[in-house]
Amino acid sequence: MVDKNKLFHVIKRYFQLLKIYAGMDLASLMRDGKFMAIVIIADIVSNISSISGIFLLAWKFGGIGGMDRFEVLFMLAYGNIVMGFLNMMGGCNALFPSRIIGRGQWEHMFIMPVPYAVQLTVGIFPFTGSSSFLSGIGMLWVAVCHMETVMPWWWPGMLIFQLMISMVIVVALSYLLSSLAFYAPVQCEEISGAVVYSMGRTMTFPLTGMPMYIRYPLLTIFPAGLMAWFPSMILLGKAATFEVIYSAIFALMISLSATYFFRKGFRYYVKKGINRYVSGGHRS
Amino acid sequence: MINKYIATARMAVQGKTGGGVFYMFPEIIMKAVYLVPVMFIWKTLVESGYEAEMSVSQLLSYTYVNVLLADMMVVYTFLSAWDYDTRSMEMFTRPLPVFGQVISRTIGEWIPMLLLFSVPMFMAAPMLKIRILPGTLWVIPSLMLSVSLGFAFEFLFYCVTVRLRNVSWLTYVIRSAVTSFFSGTVIPFKILPFGMDRWINYQPFGSLGGAFLSLYVGSARASEIIPVQIFWNIVIWIAAAAWFQKSRERMVSFGG
């Protein structure tokens, strides 16, 4: 009974904190009209620029490697939704745990009266950080409207499922590599950033038509292909039946590995700790 | 006088390698991972029978050299990073001009990656059948102008950060997205659709890495590239210096 009350309290607190963070984000956006206008215009320009290169190539050549123009746009939109959602929800470094660990800030979390998961996931930016996510949805809509294929009734469900799997893979990979920051906090502080940003850059390349020795590493060792290209192939009906479950199995395996190594690193960290702050208050 | 700048650059090298060279390998691997699919995009396009304004050899060299010299193609300094540890304030406590400090420190930070990644990859290029030598010696002044303009933009965007009350992240994201396309370093202007190459060369970001790379692979002439680069260097440096002087007293920094 006590546990049930505690769980209810945590869930209630979680939503309260989400609301507080969302409120702070809105306040930062609305602090003055000029600032808000700059942010909105800059966001639009930034989002168009980030996908325009590959899309313009696809437009010029009528597609890339067996994908037509709007299939390429679909893939880019899918990737934007994945990264946009993760950046919106994990902006307070929940997506980049090596920064928290490497900066010695995980210790700060020890004294907070809510679980780690709650602390990590409440730092959202729904107003200033949602542009990529929203533009991704817009582009996906445009791409789907221009496709000749008729989508079956279960397609929206499959889309959401694939999006969740792609997000799980990015988060799990980030946590898996961030485990190294428990052992080498200074050197590995930015390892999650390096991995996530590299995945974000590499995901925009359509892998159709590329040789196996390029495609397979990008679906296994460095799974940038699972962030946009591979799920797009599944959703566009261009993948074989057995391939449909590959990304789900991969997500499960990498999540289990991340859990194991992160816990192992954490046990090391609580024994050794780190001290990166100098007396002046700045990091060494 | 020059010794002060060399010492600053040396400190930057040590700062980059202080934790051990081994810890730079993830960054090197990420660069290689990015390079491979981009190069294969060109091969895929050409093998599909599409006709582009540049040959596959030029496209491969363009991408390859861009990755090798990535730090110089679009310059980022510590001014673009979060200003959490008062680095911008520290600049004013040292007996060196602010501009000189930023430039020497940034060049110092480039050196380890040039030695560990760019030089070996340069040597390996012939084995990968990449044409690595430039077609003209005009690439040297072009590279210098490109780097110089990169620093000017860096100061200009730093002023944006200061004026927007330290929204460093927002400025960084916007700038990265805009420069990745408008600098022409990822997709050469020459192969863009709708005749965009006719005007996009002349916007200021076009004189960054993309201009140098076009010259390097021989898809543009020095007479087209260098005058535009000189023009934008003059305009952007004047703007950056003037705005920096006006913005410096508004700087705010905080610990973290």
Side-chain angles (χ1 to χ4, degrees):
Chain A
M1 194 62 189
V2 176
D3 285 342
K4 263 188 185 173
N5 281 340
K6 197 177 169 186
L7 184 66
F8 175 74
H9 173 76
V10 168
I11 292 170
K12 190 178 157 198
R13 188 67 188 141
Y14 175 73
F15 284 104
Q16 283 172 340
L17 288 168
L18 276 183
K19 195 178 158 194
I20 291 168
Y21 270 93
M24 287 193 295
D25 188 42
L26 182 63
S28 81
L29 183 67
M30 306 277 283
R31 59 188 174 179
D32 73 56
K34 195 172 102 186
F35 176 80
M36 189 166 75
I38 290 169
V39 170
I40 291 169
I41 293 166
D43 264 348
I44 294 167
V45 174
S46 157
N47 280 301
I48 293 170
S49 297
S50 65
I51 58 116
S52 52
I54 293 289
F55 183 62
L56 285 171
L57 267 190
W59 189 270
K60 172 157 183 170
F61 298 112
I64 298 176
M67 293 175 83
D68 71 29
R69 289 167 181 165
F70 288 101
E71 286 173 346
V72 171
L73 182 64
F74 180 89
M75 188 198 77
L76 294 169
Y78 183 97
N80 253 31
I81 294 174
V82 171
M83 283 312 293
F85 187 81
L86 290 175
N87 280 323
M88 183 174 76
M89 299 302 291
C92 280
N93 284 340
L95 183 58
F96 307 102
S98 65
R99 289 179 184 162
I100 303 174
I101 301 161
R103 293 170 188 174
Q105 292 166 349
W106 201 279
E107 276 133 275
H108 306 177
M109 294 167 68
F110 290 176
I111 56 167
M112 299 290 175
V114 280
Y116 297 141
V118 173
Q119 292 183 47
L120 286 168
T121 52
V122 291
I124 57 170
F125 296 102
F127 299 101
T128 58
S130 58
S131 66
S132 182
F133 176 64
L134 295 176
S135 65
I137 292 173
M139 288 189 298
L140 194 87
W141 180 256
V142 172
V144 170
C145 288
H146 284 84
M147 278 180 197
E148 289 170 9
T149 322
V150 180
M151 305 302 180
W153 62 269
W154 46 263
W155 192 85
M158 179 59 107
L159 172 67
I160 293 167
F161 178 67
Q162 290 297 336
L163 283 168
M164 283 167 62
I165 285 177
S166 297
M167 289 174 197
V168 167
I169 291 170
V170 180
V171 173
L173 193 69
S174 178
Y175 275 76
L176 177 65
L177 288 162
S178 291
S179 310
L180 292 169
F182 286 124
Y183 303 96
V186 178
Q187 295 85 350
C188 294
E189 179 184 326
E190 266 306 322
I191 194 164
S192 52
V195 169
V196 173
Y197 296 139
S198 296
M199 296 256 290
R201 279 205 308 272
T202 316
M203 75 176 183
T204 57
F205 302 123
L207 304 184
T208 318
M210 290 197 187
M212 296 295 182
Y213 61 87
I214 300 296
R215 212 187 297 177
Y216 284 173
L218 288 171
L219 295 174
T220 50
I221 302 163
F222 184 74
L226 296 176
M227 282 178 72
W229 175 76
F230 192 76
S232 298
M233 290 290 102
I234 293 171
L235 292 162
L236 296 170
K238 294 188 168 189
T241 314
F242 71 93
E243 288 177 332
V244 173
I245 55 163
Y246 170 71
S247 43
I249 293 170
F250 188 90
L252 180 68
M253 301 295 285
I254 199 164
S255 302
L256 291 173
S257 307
T259 307
Y260 174 77
F261 284 107
F262 200 81
R263 282 172 186 271
K264 197 176 173 200
F266 185 70
R267 281 196 291 274
Y268 177 86
Y269 177 74
V270 289
K271 283 183 200 155
K272 304 278 182 184
I274 63 164
N275 186 1
R276 285 196 61 194
Y277 286 87
V278 294
S279 53
H282 303 300
R283 281 199 291 279
S284 59
Chain B
M1 185 62 189
I2 191 80
N3 288 341
K4 290 180 182 175
Y5 294 105
I6 293 172
T8 306
R10 197 184 304 127
M11 275 165 51
V13 173
Q14 286 165 350
K16 202 83 175 163
T17 55
V21 172
F22 176 76
Y23 290 102
M24 295 188 74
F25 279 94
E27 200 181 335
I28 292 171
I29 292 166
M30 290 303 148
K31 276 176 181 273
V33 164
Y34 175 73
L35 176 65
V36 175
V38 191
M39 290 178 67
F40 270 90
I41 284 244
W42 305 133
K43 284 196 171 176
T44 306
L45 280 173
V46 173
E47 281 166 10
S48 305
Y50 299 122
E51 283 186 18
E53 286 75 1
M54 289 168 74
S55 68
V56 68
S57 155
Q58 282 179 318
L59 287 167
L60 291 176
S61 300
Y62 193 99
T63 301
Y64 198 83
V65 175
N66 175 39
V67 175
L68 260 57
L69 302 179
D71 291 335
M72 298 178 201
M73 296 296 96
V74 179
V75 175
Y76 286 98
T77 71
F78 64 89
L79 295 177
S80 298
W82 285 94
D83 198 16
Y84 55 74
D85 49 5
T86 67
R87 278 181 284 189
S88 62
M89 300 298 163
E90 283 172 6
M91 295 190 298
F92 295 94
T93 62
R94 295 187 184 128
L96 277 176
V98 170
F99 288 83
Q101 279 184 61
V102 173
I103 292 168
S104 53
R105 183 170 166 168
T106 307
I107 291 173
E109 285 174 349
W110 292 343
I111 291 170
M113 198 50 81
L114 282 173
L115 294 175
L116 291 169
F117 176 74
S118 307
V119 172
M121 290 295 278
F122 186 88
M123 308 294 268
M127 284 184 278
L128 301 168
K129 295 180 183 163
I130 307 283
R131 204 191 70 192
I132 195 68
L133 292 175
T136 166
L137 285 176
W138 281 108
V139 293
I140 297 167
S142 177
L143 178 63
M144 289 165 75
L145 287 165
S146 166
V147 170
S148 159
L149 187 62
F151 278 113
F153 272 121
E154 187 67 14
F155 282 101
L156 207 58
F157 275 96
Y158 182 64
C159 296
V160 175
T161 308
V162 170
R163 296 279 169 162
L164 288 178
R165 300 178 217 163
N166 273 14
V167 282
S168 318
W169 174 244
L170 182 73
T171 316
Y172 178 81
V173 169
I174 296 158
R175 191 188 153 193
S176 301
V178 171
T179 51
S180 74
F181 176 69
F182 286 99
S183 68
T185 49
V186 180
I187 311 287
F189 293 147
K190 197 95 179 171
I191 62 167
L192 289 177
F194 314 123
M196 287 168 77
D197 61 310
R198 284 197 291 274
W199 61 267
I200 205 165
N201 284 318
Y202 299 106
Q203 46 84 28
F205 297 109
S207 289
L208 291 169
F212 158 76
L213 290 168
S214 302
L215 201 56
Y216 198 99
V217 302
S219 65
R221 290 193 305 273
S223 57
E224 295 168 338
I225 298 289
I226 306 272
V228 182
Q229 282 189 307
I230 292 172
F231 172 77
W232 283 121
N233 261 280
I234 294 167
V235 172
I236 302 296
W237 264 117
I238 290 172
W243 207 21
F244 189 77
Q245 289 304 318
K246 276 190 160 187
S247 303
R248 54 197 289 171
E249 287 182 11
R250 294 186 182 214
M251 270 183 210
V252 177
S253 187
F254 44 89

